[in-house]
């Protein structure tokens, strides 16, 4: 559940640094968690991992994350 929240905050525009501070983890760990969550929803798109592109589609992706049983 925590990892879902981390990915959602990143998709909503919060920086890796700020999310890391909130959860007391490194910005790199935030990026890894976000990438793993998104890879389960959009396996092909994660190869390029363009967070800006994911943020443009954030409404749909956040809905998928909330509905998923990750």
């Amino acid at each position: 559940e925590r990892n879902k929240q981390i990915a959602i905050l990143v998709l909503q525009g919060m920086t890796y640094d700020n999310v890391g501070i909130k959860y007391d983890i490194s910005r790199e760990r935030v990026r890894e968690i976000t990438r793993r969550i998104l890879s389960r929803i959009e396996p092909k798109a994660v190869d390029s991992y363009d967070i800006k592109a994911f943020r443009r589609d954030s409404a749909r992706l956040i809905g998928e994350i909330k509905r998923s049983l990750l």
Side-chain angles (χ1 to χ4, degrees):
E1 194 60 36
R2 178 194 80 144
N3 290 352
K4 284 180 168 184
Q5 278 305 117
I6 287 170
I8 289 170
L9 289 173
V10 169
L11 287 171
Q12 290 175 334
M14 202 167 179
T15 66
Y16 295 137
D17 286 328
N18 288 340
V19 175
I21 290 167
K22 178 177 173 113
Y23 287 95
D24 196 30
I25 56 177
S26 71
R27 70 180 308 283
E28 181 59 24
R29 185 68 184 126
V30 171
R31 191 191 67 74
E32 289 169 354
I33 290 168
T34 303
R35 185 181 175 124
R36 189 176 70 239
I37 295 286
L38 291 173
S39 73
R40 294 179 180 166
I41 295 170
E42 295 286 323
K44 293 178 184 171
V46 167
D47 291 338
S48 63
Y49 192 72
D50 179 7
I51 194 61
K52 290 179 183 177
F54 286 124
R55 284 179 174 156
R56 283 191 293 271
D57 197 18
S58 65
R60 182 184 65 81
L61 292 171
I62 289 170
E64 292 286 330
I65 290 170
K66 288 181 178 179
R67 284 190 294 278
S68 73
L69 300 174
L70 300 173

